[in-house]
Amino acid sequence: MISTTNIEEQLVKVNSPLPDIPENSSKEVIRDILNDYAFKNNFVVVIQKSEEKRLVFVCKKGPGCKDWRNISSLDRKRIIPSKKMNCPYTIRLSKKNNGKGYQIHSSKVLREMSHNHPLDDDTLMSTHEGRMYKLSSGDVNMICDGVKQSKSTKSIQKSISTYAKFNKLKRHDINNLRYASKAKSFCMNTSENAGSKLIDYIQNKGFRTAYRCNEAGHLDGLFFFSNEQMIARSIRFPETYLIDATYGTNNLKMPLICVYGVSNVGLKSLKTFPVAFAWVSSEKEEMYSWFLQTLRINLNGISEDTVFVTDKCTALMNQLDKQFPETKKMLCRWHLLNNLDKNCTLSLFKKEHHGIKEEFKSFVKKIMYSPEYKDYVENVRKIRSILENKNLFVCEEERIRFKKYYENEWILHLEKWAALYTSKLQHMDCTTTQRLSLIHI
């Protein structure tokens, strides 16, 4: 399976070819594919860099170890021992030119294709991921039963290692599993009874409910509507819906997706009212797909004139376009400007041109707030002039990076934030999701 070469150090090359990456694979899918490849070859990979256009995976025994021979004994006592060995093994991926997923780049450097440690069971079992990979289905069932019955960690460790020559799991592995079963009870067998009680409780309070389970049959999404009166109001006032997620509402660390509407008749001022909520295990596209489908069913459809106001969550934006292609969408101005503050910094520009930062932001704000066509054209021209001027930036690389950021994050979604377009929508003056934030507080 392996061959050994001597170049300055003993290197062990993995002869198994790198796996194929299916088109349009997400980062999570790629990570699972590479993990499976690594496990089969007796090592573990971890992600070192995760950027929009490139991914870098390295051996878990890679960079980060300390040079124990060249530090004083006093300093040594303050450092937690590490099993890292500066292993050079690296897998690099870049985004395809057509934008459909990532592709692996075969390294031409021998060191990056090799490990500086043996590839055997001992190496794999020295890592938490390796020990978990080696567990059989019977071992998993015994651990789950032991956790449910509140058995001691030592007892569980002994029960799964009875016929093995060594302990299959370390005690801290089992303690971590025990903690995970409590902290993420929605996704564990032990949560089924609690999930049923929660659903019954919500229904008894007069709320409509819907829920979904993952492939393992565990509850990973709970959707509940307001009462019938509030649903009737949602159908009566479908002009504007605000969608946002909030956190810290439960001890399971599950995001709470909130939908609010705005009523505009019979009151002195606009009134915000709740429409629907859902606790979900993640904010992935499949979860938003289920959430929006359930929303449409319970509201007897969504009007084509409805305006959705959201933050710039890619998964939510993609699903809104897919589920409700005819409706109008707006991006929260507050979230957009916060994002611009983080990316348009003084470090981009030469010291003598630091004033360009505030100028650039002011041009963006004028596009955002002014519905006049002449203002739009003028400020677009000024922004383009800044982005094309190489003399303003500290280096060409920074200019190109910032230009791509503006094009991808702003220009592609221009109709969702520029006043030239949004002023024509019936959004009830809801240009941010701040109404939801105030309610969350």
Side-chain angles (χ1 to χ4, degrees):
M1 182 185 74
I2 60 174
S3 62
T4 304
T5 310
N6 288 306
I7 299 180
E8 297 180 355
E9 59 181 328
Q10 195 82 352
L11 295 179
V12 181
K13 184 178 178 182
V14 182
N15 284 333
S16 299
L18 289 167
D20 294 325
I21 304 297
E23 196 171 79
N24 289 322
S25 294
S26 65
K27 292 181 181 180
E28 291 78 12
V29 171
I30 294 173
R31 180 194 61 200
D32 292 341
I33 291 174
L34 293 181
N35 275 336
D36 186 63
Y37 166 77
F39 289 148
K40 290 177 180 178
N41 288 279
N42 290 325
F43 65 98
V44 176
V45 291
V46 294
I47 191 161
Q48 185 186 54
K49 288 185 179 179
S50 177
E51 300 175 353
E52 183 182 356
K53 293 194 174 181
R54 67 167 180 162
L55 302 173
V56 179
F57 289 81
V58 296
C59 176
K60 192 171 184 180
K61 292 185 176 294
C65 72
K66 303 291 183 182
D67 186 352
W68 292 86
R69 292 168 294 183
N70 296 323
I71 60 176
S72 67
S73 59
L74 182 62
D75 290 335
R76 185 178 298 133
K77 292 178 181 178
R78 298 178 182 177
I79 301 175
I80 299 174
S82 171
K83 292 186 179 180
K84 292 183 179 292
M85 303 174 64
N86 275 331
C87 179
Y89 186 82
T90 307
I91 301 176
R92 302 180 188 276
L93 301 94
S94 65
K95 203 153 193 177
K96 295 181 178 179
N97 292 332
N98 59 10
K100 296 182 177 179
Y102 294 81
Q103 59 187 356
I104 293 179
H105 290 285
S106 298
S107 177
K108 297 180 181 180
V109 181
L110 177 61
R111 282 180 55 79
E112 289 194 355
M113 297 186 292
S114 309
H115 298 264
N116 63 357
H117 55 82
L119 297 181
D120 52 25
D121 281 344
D122 288 342
T123 299
L124 189 60
M125 293 298 287
S126 69
T127 65
H128 168 75
E129 295 84 355
R131 293 190 291 273
M132 299 301 293
Y133 174 74
K134 287 289 187 178
L135 291 177
S136 65
S137 58
D139 294 332
V140 174
N141 290 333
M142 291 175 72
I143 294 170
C144 290
D145 291 341
V147 170
K148 287 180 182 179
Q149 298 169 19
S150 299
K151 290 184 177 180
S152 68
T153 300
K154 186 176 181 179
S155 175
I156 296 174
Q157 183 188 48
K158 187 176 180 179
S159 65
I160 63 174
S161 307
T162 303
Y163 300 104
K165 297 180 180 179
F166 50 85
N167 289 325
K168 292 186 176 181
L169 289 181
K170 294 187 176 181
R171 293 187 185 181
H172 69 259
D173 294 328
I174 299 171
N175 287 333
N176 288 340
L177 291 173
R178 190 191 302 278
Y179 173 78
S181 71
K182 295 177 182 178
K184 299 182 179 179
S185 58
F186 260 35
C187 301
M188 303 290 288
N189 286 327
T190 54
S191 70
E192 293 176 359
N193 186 42
S196 298
K197 288 182 178 180
L198 178 60
I199 292 171
D200 291 340
Y201 177 80
I202 293 174
Q203 288 177 339
N204 291 335
K205 290 292 183 178
F207 292 92
R208 290 188 186 182
T209 61
Y211 61 90
R212 57 165 278 161
C213 298
N214 58 23
E215 295 178 355
H218 303 140
L219 187 67
D220 69 351
L222 174 59
F223 183 103
F224 63 92
F225 262 82
S226 307
N227 54 37
E228 297 298 328
Q229 179 182 357
M230 300 311 295
I231 293 175
R233 182 177 290 183
S234 303
I235 297 173
R236 183 185 177 192
F237 301 108
E239 291 84 2
T240 305
Y241 290 138
L242 293 81
I243 304 180
D244 195 12
T246 186
Y247 310 89
T249 64
N250 57 87
N251 63 352
L252 305 176
K253 299 182 180 179
M254 298 180 76
L256 176 66
I257 303 174
C258 309
V259 182
Y260 281 84
V262 180
S263 59
N264 60 345
V265 176
L267 298 169
K268 293 181 179 180
S269 60
L270 296 176
K271 180 72 173 180
T272 305
F273 61 89
V275 177
F277 304 88
W279 278 306
V280 294
S281 59
S282 68
E283 291 186 78
K284 296 181 180 179
E285 282 200 37
E286 61 173 333
M287 195 62 71
Y288 275 115
S289 174
W290 167 77
F291 176 80
L292 294 174
Q293 287 175 20
T294 309
L295 179 69
R296 176 170 51 193
I297 292 170
N298 282 274
L299 291 181
N300 300 322
I302 298 292
S303 170
E304 293 183 1
D305 297 324
T306 296
V307 177
F308 286 99
V309 183
T310 71
D311 62 6
K312 200 173 178 300
C313 172
T314 303
L316 174 57
M317 290 168 58
N318 289 344
Q319 283 304 312
L320 280 173
D321 288 337
K322 185 176 181 180
Q323 301 290 336
F324 311 120
E326 302 301 325
T327 62
K328 306 301 180 183
K329 293 89 179 177
M330 286 178 55
L331 294 175
C332 171
R333 290 176 177 177
W334 184 85
H335 283 93
L336 285 174
L337 293 175
N338 269 3
N339 184 267
L340 182 62
D341 281 336
K342 294 177 182 178
N343 287 275
C344 183
T345 61
L346 292 177
S347 62
L348 289 173
F349 305 102
K350 294 178 180 178
K351 190 173 181 179
E352 60 269 26
H353 297 301
H354 276 183
I356 295 297
K357 171 192 169 183
E358 294 303 324
E359 285 186 23
F360 187 92
K361 289 165 62 176
S362 70
F363 298 150
V364 172
K365 288 180 180 179
K366 288 176 182 177
I367 295 175
M368 182 177 284
Y369 289 100
S370 176
E372 299 297 328
Y373 180 74
K374 62 178 182 179
D375 292 338
Y376 170 81
V377 172
E378 177 65 15
N379 287 289
V380 166
R381 182 189 64 78
K382 290 178 178 178
I383 287 176
R384 187 181 297 116
S385 175
I386 290 176
L387 294 176
E388 297 298 334
N389 192 338
K390 300 180 181 180
N391 296 324
L392 300 177
F393 294 83
V394 292
C395 65
E396 180 66 2
E397 182 180 349
E398 287 295 320
R399 186 190 71 83
I400 294 174
R401 183 191 65 77
F402 184 63
K403 182 181 178 182
K404 287 183 178 179
Y405 156 76
Y406 184 73
E407 290 173 347
N408 295 333
E409 300 295 324
W410 291 79
I411 297 300
L412 287 180
H413 309 287
L414 194 63
E415 73 285 353
K416 296 179 181 179
W417 63 272
L420 180 68
Y421 303 99
T422 61
S423 61
K424 301 173 184 177
L425 305 179
Q426 191 175 3
H427 52 66
M428 302 297 174
D429 203 31
C430 294
T431 55
T432 74
T433 57
Q434 290 302 93
R435 286 176 176 268
L436 276 65
S437 300
L438 293 174
I439 295 172
H440 295 167
I441 294 173

